[in-house]
Amino acid sequence: MEVHAILLALIQGFTEFLPISSSAHLILPSVLLGWEDQGMAFDVAVHLGSLLAVVYYFRQEVASLAVAWLSSIRGKAQNAESKLAWCIILATIPACIVGVLFGGLIADFLRSGWVIAVTTIVFGLLLWWADKAAKLYKGEYQTGWRGALWLGCAQALALIPGTSRSGITLTAGLMIGMTRDAAARFSFLMSIPIIFLAGSHQATGLLSAGAAIPWGAIGLGVVVSFVSALACIHLFLTLINRIGVMPFVWYRLGLGALLFVVMSGQL
């Protein structure tokens, strides 16, 4: 069980912030190896680890944005940080609305290997097209409210398993002219409120259900996902301008093809 927990936390941490779909990877152990679902408590734990990693990595930016946002609420003049903070808040709203209205339907009808295989490939190709056509001139502080709403709608689309939240928001950022690292940074920053809200919702449901909590697996999940997510964020931001997105596109195409083969073998 501990080995399963460590491996699943590693998968979650490394894939949460890469444009390759964490849901596509998390389905593989159960399909290929017959592993049982670790449960909601473990899911909350690994997402908490990922959340702590992105907050820690961007701690200076998060503090600056929070101070500027609070100042803007108190009536002080807007600056670049406060505008970016409001853009992140705006970008969070679409996913919240879609999650509340359609989260149950998505969970019931779209969480299948076939759906994940298709979306892994389709949105991988879309990422390739967006990168090829990208103008690459905007920074994250130039997002604007229209760009934030566009990125927020893309993040809402990521509720479909296999889409990849990081992948679709990176794609959307490239479509509106953001540089690769700016789109990635905005994607990471906008992940903070959405992961927090989703995790809080799951934790509330877990506590209200009164289920037994496997504290050992939870501790492992938090620590391993934190370390792996932190390494992932650093490496991705270091390499994205150098290697581009094509390695991730090819990886998604290969992963989608593998999922098709695996699912076909189960017919």
Side-chain angles (χ1 to χ4, degrees), residues 221-234:
V222 171
V223 172
V224 175
S225 63
F226 170 80
V227 174
S228 56
L230 194 63
C232 170
I233 294 169
H234 176 71

Side-chain angles (χ1 to χ4, degrees), residues 40-50 217-223 225-226:
M40 185 181 293
F42 185 78
D43 191 50
V44 171
V46 293
H47 281 88
L48 174 60
S50 298
I218 284 181
L220 278 174
V222 171
V223 172
S225 63
F226 170 80

Side-chain angles (χ1 to χ4, degrees), residues 252-263:
R252 287 184 69 120
L253 296 179
L255 178 61
L258 174 62
L259 286 171
F260 269 118
V261 171
V262 171
M263 300 305 297

Side-chain angles (χ1 to χ4, degrees), residues 66-79 82-83 85-86:
V67 170
W69 179 72
L70 289 172
S71 296
S72 71
I73 290 180
R74 294 169 184 157
K76 295 186 178 180
Q78 294 273 0
N79 58 23
S82 64
K83 291 178 181 177
W86 281 110

Side-chain angles (χ1 to χ4, degrees), residues 190-206:
M190 70 189 288
S191 75
I192 295 173
I194 202 66
I195 294 177
F196 174 78
L197 291 171
S200 298
H201 177 71
Q202 286 181 313
T204 300
L206 183 67

